Amino acid sequence: MSAAGCRLQCTMAAGRARSGCSLRAAGAALVVVTALLAVGCSCSPWGQDDVDRLREWQERQDERLLQQQRALEERQRLSDDLSLERQYLRTDLQLHRERQQDERQTERDARLNDHQRLRDDLLQERQVEQSDRQLHRQTLQDQGLDERQQLHDELDRDREREVEDQRRAREQLSDQARRDRERTDREREREQGRREREQQRREQEREREQQRRERERDLREQRRRWRRDADDTADDKNTTATTTTVKAADPPPQPATGKSYEGAQLWRVQIADGDVANLQRVEDDGVAQIWYSNATVWDLMVSAENQPHVRKLLADNKLAYTVVIPDMQRAILDENPSLSDDELELTSRKGHRMTWQHYHRVTDMHGWLDYLANTYPSICETLVIGSSVEGRPLKVLHIKGKPGSPAMWVDGGIHAREWITSASVSYMLNELVENHDSHRAWLSAVDLYVLPLANPDGYEYSHAGDRMWRKNRRRGGGCDGIDLNRNFGYKWGGKGAGPQPCQEIYRGSAPFSEPETSAIQSFVLARKASLKSYLSFHSYGQYVLYPWGYDRFVPPDHEDLQRVGTKLANAMRATSGLSYTVGSSAALLYPASGGSDDWAKGQAGLKYAFTIELRDTGRHGFVVPSSHILSSGKEVLAAVRTLAQEVAAL
Ligand SMILES: *[C@@H]1O[C@H](CO)[C@@H](O)[C@H](O)[C@H]1NC(C)=O
Ligand SMILES: *[C@@H]1O[C@H](CO)[C@@H](O)[C@H](O)[C@H]1NC(C)=O
């Protein structure tokens, strides 16, 4: 080391010492000085003061060093304490951590335990639940079984019930069948009874027929005997003349009941033209009945015994004929079949015995008229306007109109054998009364007086004595009966009416000589002011006829009659389809005086006087089967309604 170097270091060390720098710098400086002293470095510039101060400084320095040493030691001690403390703390921490860990472990263990327990509980619960469910299922199954069993039981019961029902139904059916059988048996018995009764009836009829034939044979025998006697006494007269004489002198008596028409026939004769005088005589001579005649056709009913005679007569007059009804007796038997027991029972329950399937006797018809009057007193009444020759009442049914209404007269059955007229007029009456409501409108505008049986004696006789009876039952004068439709007092005794009692068209001894006609006369004249029409039903031929009948003239208002007559015909055709010819009687048919319509028009002054000839046009003649009653009745109803409208409009 150089002296310069030595000096620098000394300065530096001194500089540091003076400036009093930091403890460490002081220490370093001390170290340096010490070292320098040790190496013999002498800083030559410094005197004794300096060395004293240096010593002093040295001493302070030492002291400071000592202090520092002590501080260091203190610090060391503190640091030791600290580290110890730290040690302690660490241990504590360790301990604490361990404890915490232990606690956490315990806690975890507890939680685990809890969990375990929970799981166990859960498991247990689940088991319990499962077993419960098992149990429930078992129960359900058991219940299902029970229900199924019940269902089975019910089904069984149902089946049993069904079987029982079926058995009962079978029993009922068999009961029913048995009852039906019994009923059928009863019916068969009844039918048997009926058939037997019918048989008996037929036998009785046959017997009666036999007796009657015997009687007739006797009569014929007697007649032949008379003829022989006459021949014996009058040699100069031939047989025909003798017969006529005998007949006129001593006509054979009518059989009391059931005149037979065995072998009789209806002949239709075609008339060429004009001269029918010979033909007219057949009726007067009693060899045939004239049922119908117009300008071209005559219907003759000829008995078996007279057929050869009439046949010859026709041949002599060159007249052709056809047989319309070959067996009159058969036709009569078929005309009016008796009512069955059922029908009879039914009718008797109604309060009267009338039907429209059968031609009834006078008592049935009169009973029914009374029934109507008693049952419907506000609609109708019966008026007895007189009585017949034999004392039967002449019963008019009055169907009442509004007070002051114009009146109409209607009758049927004035000719006994024309059964269809009384039956049809009766049907009309029944309909008007029983179904009054449906006819009220037009009925209330007229007063309707209807006499269905204008000739009750003749009608009864045509049932019980002679089906072909025409006149009333006046006795005496050689032959019974007067033709009531020749007995009215207008132009009485003119053409087409006979003066001889044995004639079918015998006019009687005087106008209105008969109680039947005079009763009508009195009744009509008493109501002359209100009566506006006179309608008389006849058969057959299908005509609507208006006056005059006595001859081929017509009244001044014939156009009105023709017009209204045409309306009637149209109304009738509308119900049945049958056509009716309209015209004045004498012109259409033949002159016949003393008829009711002529009198009503000519004497009583009723405007609308008509005679309607009902069905048919010859097929059945007067023997119209009862099955026609309804249809014919409807025609009559239509005609009366139409005429009522004309009368109301007058
Ligand atoms: C019967 O008399 C009529 C006239 O009176 C005559 O024409 C006829 O030839 C007579 N008959 C017999 C069989 O003598
Ligand atoms: C006469 O009556 C018949 C039968 O009803 C009929 O066919 C004929 O046309 C009538 N004759 C006259 C001229 O009316």
Side-chain angles (χ1 to χ4, degrees):
M1 177 130 13
S2 68
C6 198
R7 224 185 344 253
L8 179 59
Q9 276 184 358
C10 284
T11 326
M12 273 178 59
R16 273 185 216 134
R18 268 188 300 259
S19 64
C21 55
S22 68
L23 191 58
R24 198 180 295 140
L30 183 61
V31 167
V32 169
V33 169
T34 315
L36 280 171
L37 287 170
V39 281
C41 190
S42 59
C43 299
S44 25
W46 293 339
Q48 202 52 39
D49 291 340
D50 287 332
V51 172
D52 292 344
R53 268 187 325 228
L54 197 48
R55 261 182 209 142
E56 237 176 284
W57 179 78
Q58 186 95 33
E59 282 163 15
R60 272 189 319 259
Q61 215 59 351
D62 284 346
E63 203 174 325
R64 220 165 37 203
L65 270 175
L66 203 61
Q67 275 174 350
Q68 271 175 358
Q69 192 68 37
R70 274 196 302 266
L72 268 174
E73 278 169 10
E74 180 69 12
R75 206 185 286 173
Q76 189 63 43
R77 203 180 35 81
L78 274 173
S79 141
D80 285 353
D81 282 355
L82 213 66
S83 72
L84 203 66
E85 186 81 1
R86 211 175 285 152
Q87 194 85 28
Y88 283 156
L89 272 173
R90 221 173 276 139
T91 316
D92 279 357
L93 195 68
Q94 187 74 25
L95 272 172
H96 180 72
R97 259 183 216 145
E98 278 174 10
R99 218 171 25 243
Q100 268 190 336
Q101 218 161 0
D102 281 358
E103 275 173 10
R104 237 175 275 148
Q105 186 64 35
T106 319
E107 209 175 302
R108 215 179 295 143
D109 285 356
R111 227 178 289 150
L112 256 174
N113 275 345
D114 281 354
H115 199 68
Q116 189 64 35
R117 221 179 20 253
L118 267 174
R119 242 177 44 196
D120 287 356
D121 284 358
L122 216 71
L123 262 173
Q124 210 169 342
E125 264 175 32
R126 213 174 287 162
Q127 272 174 358
V128 168
E129 202 179 311
Q130 214 158 6
S131 75
D132 274 2
R133 215 175 289 154
Q134 186 80 21
L135 213 73
H136 185 64
R137 214 177 294 144
Q138 189 65 35
T139 322
L140 275 180
Q141 234 166 18
D142 289 357
Q143 274 180 1
L145 272 175
D146 278 1
E147 273 173 21
R148 213 176 300 157
Q149 188 58 38
Q150 276 176 3
L151 272 174
H152 270 302
D153 289 355
E154 257 170 46
L155 262 170
D156 285 352
R157 274 198 298 278
D158 280 358
R159 220 170 289 146
E160 273 168 25
R161 259 201 303 276
E162 218 169 278
V163 168
E164 178 65 15
D165 285 357
Q166 278 173 357
R167 195 184 52 73
R168 226 173 288 149
R170 259 201 308 277
E171 271 175 16
Q172 275 174 1
L173 270 177
S174 72
D175 273 7
Q176 182 70 30
R178 191 168 40 71
R179 274 199 299 276
D180 282 356
R181 252 200 319 278
E182 282 170 7
R183 199 180 323 130
T184 327
D185 287 351
R186 274 201 305 278
E187 268 167 22
R188 207 176 300 141
E189 272 167 27
R190 219 184 305 153
E191 178 64 22
Q192 184 78 20
R194 204 158 36 214
R195 231 175 281 151
E196 276 166 15
R197 277 198 298 281
E198 180 73 10
Q199 183 95 21
Q200 278 175 2
R201 197 178 57 77
R202 238 176 259 150
E203 268 167 23
Q204 280 169 0
E205 241 168 46
R206 219 171 293 144
E207 251 170 54
R208 267 207 304 273
E209 185 62 29
Q210 188 77 23
Q211 289 169 358
R212 213 187 25 65
R213 235 174 282 159
E214 277 166 15
R215 260 200 317 275
E216 275 188 2
R217 216 183 27 247
D218 292 350
L219 277 170
R220 273 200 296 278
E221 188 55 37
Q222 198 182 1
R223 229 181 280 167
R224 263 199 295 279
R225 260 204 316 279
W226 289 331
R227 232 172 272 160
R228 265 202 309 278
D229 292 352
D231 285 348
D232 289 349
T233 53
D235 285 331
D236 56 336
K237 286 184 181 169
N238 66 23
T239 323
T240 318
T242 313
T243 310
T244 312
T245 315
V246 168
K247 273 193 149 198
D250 189 9
Q254 291 283 350
T257 56
K259 179 175 160 74
S260 170
Y261 286 87
E262 192 85 50
Q265 293 185 329
L266 184 67
W267 292 359
R268 172 154 285 192
V269 184
Q270 304 295 329
I271 308 295
D273 85 274
D275 187 19
V276 290
N278 285 334
L279 213 49
Q280 182 64 58
R281 250 196 7 241
V282 295
E283 190 167 71
D284 298 344
D285 292 349
V287 295
Q289 250 181 8
I290 302 170
W291 273 21
Y292 169 85
S293 67
N294 65 16
T296 55
V297 153
W298 282 54
D299 285 349
L300 303 181
M301 202 274 290
V302 195
S303 66
E305 62 166 335
N306 286 323
Q307 278 162 19
H309 176 71
V310 178
R311 204 175 283 124
K312 181 167 184 310
L313 188 87
L314 294 178
D316 289 351
N317 287 279
K318 298 193 166 56
L319 294 172
Y321 73 94
T322 51
V323 177
V324 181
I325 300 178
D327 183 348
M328 192 59 68
Q329 190 61 26
R330 181 80 256 151
I332 291 169
L333 286 174
D334 291 345
E335 175 191 25
N336 197 26
S338 48
L339 290 173
S340 68
D341 289 358
D342 288 350
E343 283 167 317
L344 282 175
E345 198 188 311
L346 201 78
T347 57
S348 62
R349 241 182 280 141
K350 288 187 304 193
H352 62 81
R353 289 158 48 83
M354 196 66 173
T355 69
W356 286 268
Q357 288 87 46
H358 186 75
Y359 294 111
H360 287 260
R361 301 288 279 266
V362 172
T363 24
D364 285 1
M365 296 176 80
H366 280 172
W368 156 77
L369 286 175
D370 291 337
Y371 160 85
L372 288 184
N374 292 334
T375 313
Y376 305 99
S378 63
I379 298 174
C380 61
E381 60 182 339
T382 46
L383 307 169
V384 176
I385 65 166
S387 54
S388 65
V389 166
E390 291 178 343
R392 291 189 174 82
L394 298 168
K395 279 200 180 181
V396 163
L397 193 78
H398 172 209
I399 302 183
K400 304 166 188 172
K402 287 195 299 266
S405 300
M408 301 171 68
W409 171 271
V410 177
D411 66 61
I414 201 165
H415 283 150
R417 63 191 172 192
E418 297 166 9
W419 285 2
I420 189 69
T421 66
S422 296
S424 305
V425 168
S426 299
Y427 168 85
M428 182 264 301
L429 279 181
N430 197 63
E431 170 68 20
L432 295 187
V433 175
E434 295 274 8
N435 290 324
H436 190 254
D437 281 348
S438 23
H439 303 286
R440 192 190 295 278
W442 65 270
L443 263 184
S444 64
V446 290
D447 250 335
L448 191 57
Y449 296 100
V450 183
L451 175 63
L453 280 174
N455 176 12
D457 298 348
Y459 181 79
E460 193 61 13
Y461 189 69
S462 70
H463 276 268
D466 178 356
R467 173 65 189 88
M468 295 313 154
W469 193 254
R470 166 184 170 95
K471 304 188 278 186
N472 75 348
R473 290 299 295 158
R474 167 78 66 191
R475 305 298 204 284
C479 281
D480 294 338
I482 278 112
D483 183 348
L484 295 176
N485 208 35
R486 302 290 186 277
N487 191 241
F488 282 76
Y490 185 73
K491 308 277 183 189
W492 178 86
K495 293 182 183 172
Q500 301 296 328
C502 290
Q503 289 180 292
E504 290 283 12
I505 51 172
Y506 176 46
R507 66 198 179 196
S509 57
F512 297 117
S513 61
E514 301 312 296
E516 294 88 354
T517 50
S518 82
I520 295 174
Q521 178 199 28
S522 310
F523 185 85
V524 168
L525 290 182
R527 288 165 182 74
K528 208 171 119 126
S530 59
L531 276 168
K532 300 294 173 212
S533 71
Y534 191 103
L535 183 53
S536 190
F537 283 97
H538 285 251
S539 74
Y540 57 96
Q542 294 170 206
Y543 289 98
V544 177
L545 304 171
Y546 54 83
W548 305 111
Y550 71 89
D551 211 337
R552 296 175 208 278
F553 307 121
V554 287
D557 61 350
H558 65 95
E559 280 174 358
D560 290 347
L561 293 168
Q562 178 73 31
R563 176 181 60 79
V564 173
T566 305
K567 278 195 181 179
L568 304 193
N570 290 342
M572 292 165 87
R573 193 182 53 225
T575 77
S576 66
L578 297 187
S579 60
Y580 282 75
T581 310
V582 185
S584 72
S585 356
L588 269 186
L589 298 175
Y590 45 85
S593 58
S596 63
D597 49 357
D598 273 12
W599 172 80
K601 177 89 185 156
Q603 195 85 61
L606 275 49
K607 179 166 176 77
Y608 292 126
F610 290 100
T611 289
I612 293 185
E613 299 277 356
L614 293 175
R615 64 187 64 189
D616 54 14
T617 55
R619 162 80 183 80
H620 298 290
F622 298 122
V623 196
V624 183
S626 57
S627 55
H628 287 249
I629 294 172
L630 264 174
S631 159
S632 179
K634 285 174 184 167
E635 291 179 322
V636 166
L637 174 57
V640 170
R641 183 174 54 216
T642 308
L643 187 56
Q645 281 153 0
E646 291 297 323
V647 164
L650 272 178

